[in-house]
Amino acid sequence: MAGATPQSTAHSSATRSTQGYNFALVALTSLFFMWGFITCLNDILIPHLKNVFSLSYTQAMLIQFCFFGAYFVVSLPAGNLVKRIGYKGGLVVGLVTAAIGCLLFIPAASFRVYGIFLGALFILASGVTILQVAANPYVTILGKPETASMRLNLTQAFNSLGTTVAPWFGGLLILGAATMATEGLTPDQLHLQEANAVKFPYMLLAIAFGLLAAIFAVLKLPDMRQEEEQQALGDAAAAGSAWQFRHLVLGALGIFAYVGAEVSIGSLLVNFMGESSIAGLPEAQAANYVAFYWGGAMVGRFVGSALMRAISPGKLLAFNALVNVLLLLVTVLTSGHLAMWAVLAIGLFNSIMFPTIFSLALQGLGHHTSQGSGILCQAIVGGALVPVIVGKAADMFGIQMAFALPIICYLYIAYYGAKGSVPRH
C-alpha cells in the first residue's frame, strides 16, 4: 500500500494537469476566433473606406499597414510583458486594448477623418498582437511537443471560422448599411452615412472583447512559466537568445512572407471580383464570396491536422505552398470565373501555413519560447509591408497583374517547409 500511494498521487496529478490543459485549450479557441474575425473585417473595411475617402489602392492599403505594423512595434514588448505577468495576464491586457481600439471607431466615424481610423486600427491591432504573442506559444506548450503543430492547427481552425464569418458580417452591417436609403442625399450626406456604417459593428466588437477580458480575468488557467523554467534547466541552449536558432530566424521570414501574401490577396478580393473581366460583382455581393477564401482555410486546417498524423508538417507545408504558386499563375493568366475561383481556392491551401510555420519555428527553443514567439509575431509586419507594395502594383498595372507578386512569398514558404525548418542544434 505504501508503494502504491505515490503512484496514485502522480497519476491523479497528471490527470488534473491534462484536464487543466484541455480546459485552457477550449478557452483559447474563443480568442483565436475573435482575432481572426477582426483581422478579416479589414478586407471589408478597405473597399468601404476607399469609397468614403476616394482613396487609391496604395492609400487604402495603409489600413493593413497600420494594422499589421502594430505587430512589428508591439510584439517584442508584448513578449516581455507576457514573461512578467504570465500568459493569462497577457491575454487579459490584449483583450482590453482591443476593446479600446474598437471604441475609437466611433469618434473616427463622427469626425470622418481617415487618420483617426488608422490610429484606432493601430490600437486595435496592438491588442490583437498581445493576444497572439500570448496565445500561440501557450497552445504549443500545453501538451506534448510532438503534437504542437496539430494542436495549433486545430485552434487556428477556429481562427479561420472567424475569418469566414467576418465577410458576411461586414458585407451586411458595413457595405449593406452604407448603401441603404441613398436617394436624395448630397455627396457630403452620403459620405457621412457611409462613415457612420462602421459605428455599430465595432461597438458590438468592443463589447465582445470587454466581456472576454472579464471572463479570462476570473478563469483559472495553468501558468506554464514554471514548466518553461524547468525545461531550461540542463538545457545547453538556455544561455544566449532565441536569435541563435537558425530555424526560428528562417521561420520568421516565413511568417513575414505568408502573412504578406495572405493579406495582400484577401485585401483585393472584393475589388478583383468587381472587375468586368472577372465577375463584375457589386461590393456587397463580392463580400459574400470572400467567405470562400477564408472558409477554405478553416476546412484546410481541420483536414491538415488529420493529415499531419501521417505526413510531416514540413512536407505538407511545402506541398501547399507550391499548389498556391500554380493557383496564382492561373489567376494572373486567365479571366472570368476560372480566375475568380482560382484565387479563392488559395485560402484552402493557405490553411496550415501560419500555425505550421509558427510551431516548427518554436521547436526546441525551451527557455526562449516567449522571446521566439515575440520575434515570430513581429514578423507578421509582412501584412503591413507586402500589401502596400501589391497595392502600388495594382495602381500601376491593375489588380490581376499585382497578384503575381505573392508568388515569390509562396516559393520561399515551400523552401522553408522542405529545408529551412529543420533545426541545426
Side-chain angles (χ1 to χ4, degrees):
M1 292 294 290
T5 303
Q7 186 177 2
S8 301
T9 304
H11 177 73
S12 176
S13 176
T15 302
R16 285 196 302 269
S17 178
T18 302
Q19 289 174 345
Y21 290 177
N22 290 337
F23 174 75
L25 287 169
V26 170
L28 285 168
T29 56
S30 64
L31 301 185
F32 279 80
F33 174 88
M34 283 301 295
W35 81 59
F37 186 98
I38 205 78
T39 301
C40 188
L41 206 57
N42 289 347
D43 295 346
I44 305 303
L45 204 60
I46 285 171
H48 177 66
L49 294 185
K50 185 177 185 295
N51 288 336
V52 173
F53 295 102
S54 302
L55 306 173
S56 67
Y57 284 113
T58 306
Q59 292 170 326
M61 285 298 191
L62 289 176
I63 291 172
Q64 301 291 29
F65 181 82
C66 287
F67 190 89
F68 288 96
Y71 284 89
F72 184 78
V73 176
V74 177
S75 287
L76 291 183
N80 293 328
L81 177 71
V82 170
K83 256 186 176 180
R84 285 201 307 271
I85 66 176
Y87 290 107
K88 174 183 167 179
L91 295 175
V92 174
V93 171
L95 287 165
V96 171
T97 306
I100 294 170
C102 287
L103 286 174
L104 288 175
F105 272 76
I106 296 173
S110 297
F111 291 109
R112 201 155 47 104
V113 176
Y114 188 47
I116 301 178
F117 275 110
L118 296 179
L121 274 169
F122 183 86
I123 293 171
L124 170 56
S126 297
V128 174
T129 302
I130 299 169
L131 289 177
Q132 292 244 33
V133 170
N136 282 309
Y138 200 18
V139 170
T140 65
I141 60 178
L142 283 171
K144 297 177 181 179
E146 57 268 24
T147 58
S149 287
M150 187 178 69
R151 283 195 308 279
L152 197 53
N153 266 289
L154 279 173
T155 51
Q156 286 278 354
F158 289 91
N159 174 274
S160 295
L161 178 60
T163 62
T164 304
V165 174
W168 174 83
F169 177 89
L172 179 67
L173 293 185
I174 296 178
L175 297 180
T179 56
M180 290 175 62
T182 58
E183 292 184 11
L185 297 180
T186 66
D188 281 345
Q189 289 172 329
L190 179 60
H191 285 161
L192 182 61
Q193 178 174 301
E194 290 176 335
N196 285 337
V198 304
K199 285 184 178 180
F200 180 64
Y202 278 90
M203 184 180 67
L204 289 179
L205 288 168
I207 294 170
F209 277 119
L211 288 174
L212 281 171
I215 291 168
F216 271 84
V218 299
L219 282 181
K220 290 184 178 180
L221 299 176
D223 187 345
M224 301 302 291
R225 285 177 294 176
Q226 287 184 344
E227 282 78 357
E228 284 185 342
E229 292 297 332
Q230 288 171 1
Q231 186 180 355
L233 295 175
D235 184 358
S241 75
W243 289 104
Q244 66 190 307
F245 295 89
R246 178 179 178 271
H247 69 287
L248 169 74
V249 177
L250 294 178
L253 291 174
I255 293 289
F256 181 96
Y258 166 70
V259 178
E262 180 195 52
V263 172
S264 297
I265 295 167
S267 299
L268 293 174
L269 283 178
V270 171
N271 293 107
F272 180 63
M273 289 185 285
E275 298 214 326
S276 57
S277 61
I278 304 302
L281 297 175
E283 287 182 352
Q285 190 177 346
N288 294 328
Y289 280 90
V290 176
F292 286 100
Y293 178 73
W294 297 107
M298 177 183 64
V299 172
R301 280 171 178 164
F302 283 117
V303 174
S305 292
L307 289 175
M308 283 180 191
R309 296 178 183 272
I311 305 172
S312 72
K315 288 180 180 177
L316 197 58
L317 176 66
F319 173 80
N320 280 21
L322 291 175
V323 172
N324 275 352
V325 170
L326 294 176
L327 288 171
L328 279 170
L329 288 173
V330 173
T331 301
V332 172
L333 299 176
T334 65
S335 60
H337 283 82
L338 178 59
M340 183 184 89
W341 286 109
V343 76
L344 291 175
I346 289 171
L348 177 64
F349 296 93
N350 273 344
S351 56
I352 66 158
M353 290 187 183
F354 183 90
T356 302
I357 296 170
F358 205 98
S359 56
L360 289 174
L362 290 181
Q363 207 170 26
L365 262 64
H367 181 62
H368 304 299
T369 300
S370 293
Q371 184 192 10
S373 175
I375 292 169
L376 292 173
C377 286
Q378 194 173 32
I380 294 174
V381 73
L385 301 179
V386 177
V388 173
I389 297 170
V390 173
K392 186 67 176 176
D395 285 328
M396 295 174 65
F397 308 111
I399 297 177
Q400 191 165 16
M401 290 306 297
F403 279 137
L405 291 178
I407 290 175
I408 301 169
C409 299
Y410 288 116
L411 287 173
Y412 176 79
I413 293 166
Y415 157 75
Y416 183 72
K419 298 285 185 183
S421 59
V422 180
R424 292 187 180 179
H425 66 278

